[in-house]
Amino acid sequence: MQDKILFTGPIPRLNAHVGGSITCTEPSPQVYLLSFSSPPDNRLTPAFCAALLSALDIIEASYPTGVVVTTSSITKFYSNGLDLDLAIKTEGFTEDSLYPLFRRFLTYPMPTVALLNGHAFAGGFMLAMHHDYRVFSGNRGYMCINELEFGAPLLPPMSGIFRAKCRPDVYRTMVLEAKRWDAKAALEAGIIDRTDGLEGVMALVQEKTLTTKGKTGIYGMLKAEMYREQVALLSATGKDVVKFGDVMTPEKKRKAELKDRVARAKI
């Protein structure tokens, strides 16, 4: 029997991204499963971020306190991260779209679980890490911070979540080796909590009585205090926002000065 659909919200079409939708079902009482589909690979566009934020608002405002689970209706990808070119060209993308989504999950007043039924790369991995728990669906997919491979810096709010939630050796391997973590390796490293899919999510919810955790109203406040440094990074505004250009421009200047210095030394 198919789970009852509580609501569905659109993800508007944007450039090469064909749009899509987010559907909320309730596979168990007070367990709200958000299934998103934005072909081809659930990129974190402004439209995607806005739609997911709206879904979180609807659950908090309109339904009993419980647990929010996110997953993908595209079985190959949980999320393939940002459209980097779009992210760089869209004014205010990080501070107006991406970081508010990360912050909302990090401080959400109910437990959150990322059900990873496909690849979670770069920004998709970051999104999963801003959830409270992560569950792989069998051996399907990899998690990877692959900025090293395509030559993009990690901005402070992007790397901060891994620093806050991962062991130092795991963080080093993740960033400086661009390791692709399969289910087994991710579980051993403490990145994920289980590898048994939706059944595992339900077992996690039951074992930890997660549907009751938000009923006193301070669950989100406790998380905000736990991760206060990351919340501060995600909440920066104005001149305090670090953008891709702010990181790359000084590096280009440093390399130019290095080249000039070596040339003048006549070595």
Side-chain angles (χ1 to χ4, degrees), residues 213-266:
K213 302 305 182 189
K215 66 180 181 180
T216 61
I218 64 163
Y219 195 80
M221 296 170 63
L222 292 172
K223 291 194 287 186
E225 169 56 26
M226 283 178 65
Y227 304 116
R228 62 161 67 178
E229 294 84 1
Q230 179 64 4
V231 171
L233 289 172
L234 292 169
S235 304
T237 59
K239 63 180 178 60
D240 294 324
V241 177
V242 180
K243 301 181 180 181
F244 287 105
D246 298 330
V247 176
M248 296 301 291
T249 300
E251 177 62 9
K252 290 178 181 178
K253 181 181 179 182
R254 185 193 68 81
K255 287 183 177 179
E257 291 173 346
L258 171 65
K259 186 176 180 180
D260 182 64
R261 189 165 63 247
V262 171
R264 285 188 284 107
K266 298 181 180 178

Side-chain angles (χ1 to χ4, degrees), residues 55-127:
L56 293 174
D57 287 349
I58 291 170
I59 291 172
E60 182 180 0
S62 305
Y63 294 94
T65 299
V67 178
V68 172
V69 182
T70 67
T71 195
S72 171
S73 297
I74 302 170
T75 55
K76 186 177 180 180
F77 294 98
Y78 177 77
S79 171
N80 210 14
L82 309 184
D83 178 323
L84 188 59
D85 185 59
L86 177 66
I88 292 172
K89 291 180 178 179
T90 302
E91 183 66 27
F93 168 70
T94 52
E95 62 267 39
D96 296 334
S97 295
L98 185 67
Y99 296 164
L101 180 64
F102 288 170
R103 186 174 65 245
R104 183 72 161 124
F105 271 105
L106 190 62
T107 62
Y108 199 67
M110 307 177 199
T112 58
V113 185
L115 172 56
L116 299 148
N117 57 338
H119 301 309
F121 275 46
F125 194 174
M126 297 168 200
L127 175 62

Side-chain angles (χ1 to χ4, degrees), residues 182-222:
D182 61 16
K184 181 175 182 293
L187 184 65
E188 291 173 350
I191 299 169
I192 64 172
D193 298 276
R194 301 181 67 112
T195 63
D196 44 355
L198 185 57
E199 288 186 6
V201 171
M202 294 307 177
L204 185 75
V205 169
Q206 183 175 11
E207 289 167 6
K208 298 182 179 294
T209 60
L210 293 184
T211 57
T212 69
K213 302 305 182 189
K215 66 180 181 180
T216 61
I218 64 163
Y219 195 80
M221 296 170 63
L222 292 172

Side-chain angles (χ1 to χ4, degrees), residues 116-184:
L116 299 148
N117 57 338
H119 301 309
F121 275 46
F125 194 174
M126 297 168 200
L127 175 62
M129 289 301 296
H130 283 87
H131 290 60
D132 299 313
Y133 304 93
R134 284 153 296 283
V135 176
F136 246 85
S137 184
N139 296 313
R140 187 179 300 166
Y142 293 94
M143 305 176 83
C144 182
I145 292 297
N146 58 333
E147 275 73 2
L148 177 68
E149 296 176 341
F150 61 85
L154 278 172
L155 302 185
M158 297 176 175
S159 62
I161 192 63
F162 299 104
R163 187 180 295 111
K165 291 192 174 184
C166 297
R167 301 193 317 256
D169 62 315
V170 172
Y171 182 46
R172 179 188 62 196
T173 302
M174 188 180 289
V175 175
L176 298 184
E177 299 174 24
K179 178 181 174 66
R180 298 191 176 199
W181 303 86
D182 61 16
K184 181 175 182 293

